[in-house]
Amino acid sequence: MNPSSRPPYDIHDADYEQILDDLPAAPINRKSGLLSGLLLGGLGLFLLLSPIVAGVAIAYLITAGLLLYGISQTLAFFRVPKGEHSGWSLLNGILLMLFAGLSMWIALSGPAGLFPLIESLSYAAGFLTASAGVIQISAFYALYKAKLSGAGWVLAGGILNLLLSVVILLNPIVSWFSLTALWGVYLLVSAIALSAESWSGRRAVRF
């Protein structure tokens, strides 16, 4: 059976066991997979072995991205017809430009100026993590009332996000570089999994 022609339902035998033997694994490109795994592994090693350098580079990249996004939003305001102008979009673009530009200027003014940049980004990450945790806990109550499965995992994820946000907000500098190292571990594990899958030349069909 061709994986692309797989029916949108599961096939079971007389004992209601799912039949998977006639569903071959999908072939993958071994060279591109190994190359991607090598690049991911190299990036993971860099993040893991040099979290300070990598953390500083990531901070600059994020700030530059925010600056470019603010510029694009501001320019977009003047390019759309007058009837479609959004004052909030213009305000958001100006605030992003001011924040990113000021942060970049302070960071480039001296070695000590880098810490306020990382602190501000780390605080933003902490508040976003806390927001995600609150959303997950709210989703838990909705799932619990509807008596749907998986509510416990959603609650656990929300609590972990709240705890992580507290750690980030209490020590933003150390947390920033620690998270950089953790991202390195994650990328390394992903690179190993991708390389092993690519070396086999086959990828299991995911349902």
Side-chain angles (χ1 to χ4, degrees), residues 29-91:
N29 191 315
R30 176 178 291 182
K31 290 183 179 180
S32 62
L34 290 175
L35 180 60
S36 299
L38 183 62
L39 292 175
L40 275 180
L43 180 59
L45 279 176
F46 173 63
L47 295 178
L48 182 60
L49 299 179
S50 303
I52 295 179
V53 176
V56 171
I58 292 173
Y60 278 123
L61 285 175
I62 292 176
T63 307
L66 291 175
L67 179 62
L68 292 175
Y69 183 63
I71 294 173
S72 67
Q73 276 201 317
T74 304
L75 292 177
F77 173 83
F78 295 102
R79 290 180 178 177
V80 299
K82 286 187 177 181
E84 300 178 8
H85 279 175
S86 172
W88 289 109
S89 178
L90 177 63
L91 178 62

Side-chain angles (χ1 to χ4, degrees), residues 153-185:
W153 290 106
V154 175
L155 176 62
I159 294 174
L160 287 176
N161 273 328
L162 287 179
L163 292 176
L164 179 59
S165 68
V166 171
V167 173
I168 294 174
L169 294 174
L170 288 178
N171 202 337
I173 299 294
V174 175
S175 297
W176 180 264
F177 296 115
S178 299
L179 289 175
T180 301
L182 286 177
W183 270 109
V185 174

